[in-house]
Amino acid sequence: ALQSKGLAPSDVLQAMSDQNVVQPGGTAKIGEDEYDIHINSAPKTLAGLSALPIRQVNGATVYVRDVATVADGSIPQTNIVRQDGRRGVLITVLKSGSASTLSVVAGIRALLPRIALTVPPELKMTLIGDQSVFVRASIAGVVREAVIAAVLTGLMILLFLGSWRSTIIIAISIPLSILTSIIVLGLLGQTINIMTLGGLALAVGILVDDATVTIENIERYLERGDPLYDSILEGAAQISVPALVSTLCICIVFLPMFFLSGVARYLFVPLAEAVVFAMLASYVLSRTLVPTMAMYLLKAHDHHAVPSRNPLARLQRSFERGFERVRRGYEDLLARLVGLRTSFVPIFLVACLCAFLLVPFLGQNFFPSTDNGSFILHVRVKSGTRIEETARICDQIEQSIRSQIPANEIDTVLDNIGLPYSTLNYQHATSGLIGAGDADITVSLKPDHHPTADYVATLRRTMPAAFPGVLFYFLPADIVTQILNFGLPAPIDVQFEGQDIEANRVIADKVLNELRHVPGLVDLRIQQPADYPVLTVNVDRTRAKQAGLTELNVGNSLLNMLSGSTQLTPMFYLNWKNGVSYNLVAQTPQYDITSLNQLENIPIASPTAKQPEILADVASITRSAEMQVVTHYNIRRTLDIYGNVQGRDLGSISAQVQQIVDANRAALPRGSFVRVRGQVETMRSSYFGLIAGLGFAIVLVYLLIVVNFQSWLDPFIIITALPAALAGIVLFLFATHTTLSVPALMGAIMCMGVATANSILVVSFAKERYVAHHDAVLAAVEAGATRFRPVMMTALAMIIGMIPMALGAGEGGEQNAPLGRAVIGGLFFATIATLVFVPSVFALLHSRDSKRDTADSESQHTITADA
């Protein structure tokens, strides 16, 4: 139509630009009145746009409607969103780093009813994704674990002490310590989240330590018949220093957490702060509030009183008789083991060291995976596929998914197909969307569903066979894994870096084929496909010049025809009905350019052209392929091989991946590099920091005890329980099929402080008895027998407090389960070592001093007799 009237697209654009201008302003005074001057500078309707004149041709006026159709349309669609097969628009809302997830979600929910009043009633708005559900469930799970732990711990204390008054005193100190920790955390700018609550739940079992030891020691003096006031003063004073050192030992093991870097620091520093503040508050309360409440609630023991016939009291007396038999049996066993100390100590130590042979069989993960009841399947069809065809394939894939997952377990299926033009959306797209051939299919399951991992494994096996030529891979659906991946779509990223991208691709293809043979490594792909179809227009500059055309004329004509005038001549149209400005675009309908022949017939416009020309007159078109997406890391071009993990631990798979990468490193061209990035890199740095922190914590604990005891020997005896604690952690993780992870290492660090605290109680009392009678063997047996009850109570309180966490029940409970299991296993074996191994070591190392003191005493006696 343009050519028939001797017009070019630029003429249409010029007419629209001249006659659709900004509303002019001005005033005029006519008589005694002042008027605003308005002219019809901008059409107010689409019909007005159609009636804009372009040019006079042979005496006739040519209007826009003669050469174009004016309609309310949109740019070519590159993104389709469907919920359960119905089209929609997806709006994703992200929070800033310092904002609360719960507050943001609550604000959005509050605004939705208000927004609904401003949109057409036919528009249905549905909240389909809400991370606050996971956050609330996780927080509720942690709080539930803490409450259960507190209740179980209280019952255990009641059973041991047989006094509801003592139990109340101890129980009151738990919430007060937690409240104090929360107040301090708030002052430091921390929030209530999974990690801070996890730290408080972890501390529940320890918080009873200071109060329990204090009350138990007061009860011991009351049993001897001492007055209440004297029993409180003596009992509290006797264990004040050991309890302080024990508390500081538990706190000091968390000091290395503050030297971590990266994501591990942001995850575990709040947890460490929660535990440390709660422990310090617990010690202060055990020195102040607990003795004061004991003065008001406890009573002096009347040994002549008639025993109560209360069933609970009778139950406690039965327990007490049974416990006393156990204590006497333990005392006899300890006496025999101390007598055999020269052989028992090395045998026990070797047994502990043998447990470390199981470490390679544990496996290594950064964090345990969680089942949040949803999964994201990424689909990538052949590069260059139109979005309509991608949507058709996604329909078939969705039907296949619904045939493999029971209908009563599927809540909703959301398809996000293609890539929107919005740069904001692209910045936050972590799934690897690169074009119209990509799609994310998010499947949300109902609460009572089978394990999500089983469905994922099934779909990984069946989908590639059902849809050959289509690439499938799964993306992290839970918020924790998404954070740990730092925006990457997979935990393993083999990244090739260098400018020689073609040579790097050859090596990357070779590495990819080798990685396919690694067991447990799935979803392998090169993120940057190189098969995107390209049509190259080769302009003959000489022929173009002869026709009065330039390369710029050809480029502008192609851009206007294929992409519209927005790229070169942006214009806007104000809709007077709603006050919204829209892009005014002149473009060729897509259905008019559907073949190579139609592309070659595109007219080329130029004011200096001698006659109308088409593209085929001055250019030729050839087919080729190129990379669909270009990525950079620190400015340099990259290729990325992404891979996921299934059925194996991340550590063992990453070791094999690293071997393959190292074997192919020498084949890289000069100036190119390759390294393994992703969650693997973060895991290695976190492991190094935590293991180094574990060693540093042991050194700090040892030096702290040296300062307190003014001795190098006794602190060494105290920390001899730590190898048994580490062995117990390994054995318990192995027995529960729990891989080594960052939470498990946190539990190991935690266990070092608790194990040391119990050993301090035993060794400090043994030291007192040794000073009294200079018999190391007798002192060791007396210390074990006397401290048997408080050690058992504090250890059982900690173990019972960790049971709910170790079970990993509830939303997100899998994350902290390794921590609880590590503490239980380590503390169980550390308690055994504290009660039998540490006294034996004390007797072994102090026997020489005992013999020397005895010899000196006999020598002094002989000298005195001679004199």
Side-chain angles (χ1 to χ4, degrees):
L2 289 171
Q3 286 178 313
S4 66
K5 293 177 170 50
L7 300 175
S10 58
D11 298 318
V12 180
L13 296 175
Q14 187 63 44
M16 296 176 69
S17 178
D18 291 342
Q19 301 192 51
N20 182 43
V21 296
V22 178
Q23 177 76 23
T27 59
K29 294 182 179 179
I30 301 176
E32 295 181 354
D33 299 322
E34 183 176 280
Y35 296 86
D36 283 334
I37 305 300
H38 293 179
I39 65 173
N40 60 337
S41 56
K44 296 187 177 182
T45 62
L46 296 183
L49 286 173
S50 299
L52 291 177
I54 300 176
R55 185 188 294 179
Q56 291 282 338
V57 178
N58 298 326
T61 302
V62 179
Y63 298 92
V64 171
R65 62 175 174 262
D66 297 327
V67 294
T69 300
V70 180
D72 185 2
S74 63
I75 61 174
Q77 189 168 13
T78 61
N79 179 236
I80 297 175
V81 174
R82 302 179 303 192
Q83 182 187 5
D84 295 327
R86 299 184 62 184
R87 290 284 189 103
V89 176
L90 178 65
I91 299 178
T92 303
V93 182
L94 302 177
K95 75 176 186 70
S96 62
S98 59
S100 167
T101 300
L102 301 182
S103 300
V104 171
V105 173
I108 293 172
R109 287 182 176 272
L111 280 175
L112 287 179
R114 178 184 177 90
I115 297 173
L117 298 176
T118 64
V119 299
E122 298 81 11
L123 180 62
K124 181 182 178 182
M125 294 183 294
T126 306
L127 193 64
I128 58 175
D130 182 357
Q131 289 287 5
S132 70
V133 175
F134 177 77
V135 174
R136 290 180 188 276
S138 299
I139 291 176
V142 174
V143 172
R144 184 173 58 252
E145 291 173 0
V147 172
I148 293 174
V151 172
L152 293 177
T153 302
L155 292 176
M156 186 274 298
I157 294 172
L158 178 61
L159 187 62
F160 265 91
L161 296 182
S163 169
W164 62 268
R165 299 172 183 270
S166 300
T167 304
I168 289 177
I169 295 173
I170 297 171
I172 288 177
S173 66
I174 297 178
L176 290 178
S177 301
I178 291 177
L179 182 60
T180 304
S181 180
I182 291 175
I183 292 174
V184 179
L185 288 172
L187 295 176
L188 294 178
Q190 296 289 357
T191 61
I192 298 297
N193 52 56
I194 298 176
M195 300 313 296
T196 52
L197 285 176
L200 295 176
L202 180 66
V204 165
I206 320 172
L207 292 179
V208 301
D209 192 355
D210 292 325
T212 300
V213 172
T214 303
I215 291 297
E216 194 277 335
N217 215 40
I218 292 173
E219 289 282 351
R220 192 165 63 87
Y221 277 90
L222 291 175
E223 284 288 338
R224 293 192 333 187
D226 292 357
L228 177 61
Y229 185 82
D230 295 338
S231 298
I232 292 175
L233 289 182
E234 292 294 331
Q238 186 181 40
I239 51 92
S240 59
V241 175
L244 175 62
V245 178
S246 301
T247 302
L248 292 179
C249 285
I250 296 174
C251 294
I252 206 170
V253 296
F254 288 100
L255 183 61
M257 299 297 100
F258 296 89
F259 297 100
L260 292 176
S261 60
V263 67
R265 174 181 175 84
Y266 294 102
L267 285 174
F268 291 111
V269 165
L271 185 147
E273 289 177 344
V275 175
V276 169
F277 297 145
M279 286 302 304
L280 293 177
S282 173
Y283 178 77
V284 173
L285 291 174
S286 70
R287 301 300 98 207
T288 55
L289 180 66
V290 170
T292 303
M293 293 184 66
M295 189 65 195
Y296 285 98
L297 291 179
L298 297 185
K299 296 180 179 180
H301 289 192
D302 184 2
H303 297 282
H304 302 288
V306 178
S308 173
R309 301 178 63 85
N310 187 299
L312 294 179
R314 296 170 63 183
L315 174 63
Q316 199 280 330
R317 287 197 298 270
S318 299
F319 171 80
E320 191 65 31
R321 288 192 296 270
F323 182 81
E324 184 60 27
R325 286 195 296 270
V326 172
R327 193 190 68 80
R328 286 197 300 268
Y330 157 74
E331 187 175 2
D332 295 337
L333 174 64
L334 179 61
R336 287 195 294 269
L337 292 176
V338 170
L340 301 173
R341 57 189 176 277
T342 54
S343 57
F344 170 67
V345 169
I347 291 174
F348 188 89
L349 189 59
V350 170
C352 292
L353 295 177
C354 289
F356 291 96
L357 298 176
L358 297 175
V359 171
F361 301 98
L362 292 179
Q364 299 177 9
N365 277 320
F366 189 24
F367 260 71
S369 58
T370 60
D371 187 349
N372 69 334
S374 65
F375 62 86
I376 303 175
L377 173 63
H378 187 90
V379 178
R380 177 174 294 171
V381 300
K382 181 177 172 57
S383 298
T385 302
R386 291 176 62 90
I387 192 168
E388 297 84 359
E389 178 64 14
T390 306
R392 186 186 66 82
I393 296 174
C394 286
D395 284 335
Q396 298 174 356
I397 293 172
E398 183 176 334
Q399 292 175 4
S400 179
I401 292 174
R402 291 182 181 275
S403 68
Q404 299 183 62
I405 301 178
N408 60 346
E409 293 191 19
I410 295 181
D411 186 17
T412 183
V413 178
L414 179 70
D415 301 340
N416 189 4
I417 306 168
L419 181 67
Y421 279 120
S422 168
T423 56
L424 187 64
N425 285 341
Y426 187 74
Q427 288 172 0
H428 295 289
T430 61
S431 64
L433 293 168
I434 59 176
D438 284 82
D440 287 337
I441 301 178
T442 303
V443 179
S444 300
L445 303 177
K446 294 181 179 179
D448 296 327
H449 61 84
H450 289 84
T452 306
D454 294 345
Y455 289 132
V456 170
T458 301
L459 293 174
R460 272 199 181 107
R461 185 178 64 256
T462 59
M463 283 299 181
F467 299 91
V470 179
L471 176 65
F472 296 94
Y473 56 85
F474 287 85
L475 303 168
D478 62 285
I479 186 173
V480 176
T481 307
Q482 290 171 355
I483 293 172
L484 296 177
N485 281 351
F486 286 95
L488 295 178
I492 294 179
D493 175 15
V494 180
Q495 186 176 83
F496 295 83
E497 173 189 331
Q499 297 306 115
D500 193 347
I501 206 70
E502 296 303 325
N504 287 344
R505 182 172 290 279
V506 173
I507 306 301
D509 289 335
K510 181 175 180 295
V511 171
L512 179 63
N513 291 330
E514 294 180 11
L515 291 177
R516 296 187 193 279
H517 296 89
V518 176
L521 188 57
V522 294
D523 296 342
L524 286 166
R525 75 273 185 189
I526 294 179
Q527 186 65 16
Q528 300 84 0
D531 59 347
Y532 192 77
V534 175
L535 296 176
T536 303
V537 178
N538 301 301
V539 179
D540 189 330
R541 285 179 169 79
T542 301
R543 291 173 58 188
K545 193 67 176 178
Q546 292 171 352
L549 301 172
T550 64
E551 193 88 12
L552 181 61
N553 300 139
V554 176
N556 287 346
S557 297
L558 284 174
L559 194 58
N560 278 322
M561 289 290 182
L562 301 177
S563 300
S565 61
T566 305
Q567 302 289 332
L568 298 174
T569 314
M571 294 180 292
F572 300 93
Y573 167 72
L574 174 63
N575 187 331
W576 293 81
K577 292 184 178 181
N578 59 14
V580 177
S581 292
Y582 295 87
N583 285 316
L584 188 59
V585 184
Q587 68 181 32
T588 302
Q590 285 186 304
Y591 54 77
D592 279 350
I593 306 177
T594 58
S595 67
L596 200 59
N597 184 51
Q598 289 175 320
L599 184 63
E600 292 175 335
N601 287 326
I602 289 178
I604 307 301
S606 172
T608 61
K610 299 175 182 178
Q611 61 182 12
E613 301 285 348
I614 61 174
L615 183 62
D617 293 335
V618 295
S620 61
I621 300 177
T622 58
R623 296 176 183 269
S624 61
E626 66 177 5
M627 292 179 64
Q628 187 172 358
V629 61
V630 176
T631 57
H632 295 82
Y633 186 82
N634 290 339
I635 306 176
R636 293 169 62 84
R637 290 278 299 274
T638 59
L639 286 174
D640 296 275
I641 300 177
Y642 288 131
N644 216 325
V645 175
Q646 177 182 289
R648 290 184 67 193
D649 61 284
L650 182 61
S652 59
I653 289 179
S654 64
Q656 290 185 260
V657 171
Q658 190 65 54
Q659 291 177 357
I660 294 173
V661 169
D662 293 339
N664 289 274
R665 196 184 303 274
L668 290 171
R670 186 177 182 273
S672 293
F673 308 94
V674 61
R675 66 169 179 166
V676 180
R677 295 185 60 240
Q679 196 180 118
V680 174
E681 192 175 39
T682 310
M683 183 185 76
R684 289 172 179 169
S685 62
S686 299
Y687 268 53
F688 176 79
L690 288 173
I691 292 175
L694 180 62
F696 187 47
I698 294 174
V699 173
L700 289 178
V701 167
Y702 177 69
L703 294 178
L704 173 67
I705 306 173
V706 166
V707 172
N708 177 71
F709 278 78
Q710 295 295 304
S711 167
W712 294 98
L713 180 61
D714 291 328
F716 174 76
I717 297 173
I718 290 171
I719 65 171
T720 54
L722 300 187
L726 294 174
I729 293 171
V730 174
L731 290 172
F732 201 76
L733 292 179
F734 181 80
T736 56
H737 304 285
T738 305
T739 57
L740 194 64
S741 60
V742 170
L745 290 176
M746 280 293 300
I749 293 176
M750 180 75 179
C751 197
M752 295 302 99
V754 180
T756 305
N758 285 338
S759 291
I760 289 174
L761 289 177
V762 174
V763 174
S764 62
F765 191 83
K767 188 69 175 176
E768 289 181 11
R769 302 308 302 156
Y770 177 72
V771 171
H773 51 63
H774 298 287
D775 188 339
V777 174
L778 181 59
V781 176
E782 288 178 344
T786 305
R787 295 304 188 193
F788 180 70
R789 180 186 293 269
V791 168
M792 288 296 294
M793 289 179 63
T794 54
L796 285 176
M798 186 66 182
I799 291 174
I800 291 174
M802 288 294 100
I803 288 177
M805 181 181 291
L807 294 176
E811 197 79 31
E814 302 94 335
Q815 295 288 344
N816 289 325
L819 191 154
R821 293 168 189 171
V823 172
I824 289 176
L827 195 55
F828 179 79
F829 282 84
T831 303
I832 295 175
T834 299
L835 293 175
V836 295
F837 182 70
V838 171
S840 300
V841 175
F842 181 90
L844 180 66
L845 297 181
H846 279 283
S847 293
R848 298 177 181 178
D849 296 338
S850 179
K851 292 179 180 178
R852 184 167 56 251
D853 292 342
T854 302
D856 292 342
S857 177
E858 292 178 352
S859 175
Q860 182 67 30
H861 179 72
T862 303
I863 293 173
T864 304
D866 291 343

